[in-house]
Amino acid sequence: EKGVRCSRCMGRGRETCSQCHGWGIVKVYDKSTMTYVEERCPTCHGMGAFNCRGCNGRGYLIMCPKCNGLGYVPIYPTTEDMN
């Protein structure tokens, strides 16, 4: 079972770069020529996207079997734990 779809990347496993907005290039001001020059984006290295930080590029979140995705183990046992 894969788990729950990642809400950060909508299950794609990739996030669009916020610096270049998915284009892969950014305009940088060059003081010597006093113009803007297109360069490869330093954040995504020209790819336009990178692996999702929420799911590490998987597209889904793996639910922990002990805490059932809550992030903590309940102090008091539930009826499911007693069976």
Side-chain angles (χ1 to χ4, degrees):
E1 182 177 314
K2 282 191 169 187
V4 180
R5 186 177 81 170
C6 179
S7 60
R8 187 174 185 138
C9 66
M10 300 301 182
R12 292 187 305 262
R14 306 277 291 164
E15 283 187 89
T16 304
C17 178
S18 60
Q19 179 115 10
C20 67
H21 304 286
W23 290 96
I25 53 174
V26 291
K27 290 187 178 183
V28 180
Y29 186 73
D30 187 12
K31 290 182 181 179
S32 62
T33 60
M34 297 177 67
T35 58
Y36 285 95
V37 180
E38 291 183 346
E39 290 185 0
R40 192 171 82 174
C41 179
T43 306
C44 65
H45 305 288
M47 297 295 288
F50 47 88
N51 283 342
C52 175
R53 292 180 221 143
C55 64
N56 293 327
R58 288 187 304 266
Y60 58 91
L61 303 172
I62 298 172
M63 303 228 347
C64 173
K66 286 190 175 184
C67 69
N68 199 23
L70 296 173
Y72 61 91
V73 179
I75 297 172
Y76 302 105
T78 61
T79 55
E80 295 173 1
D81 294 335
M82 293 181 181
N83 293 336

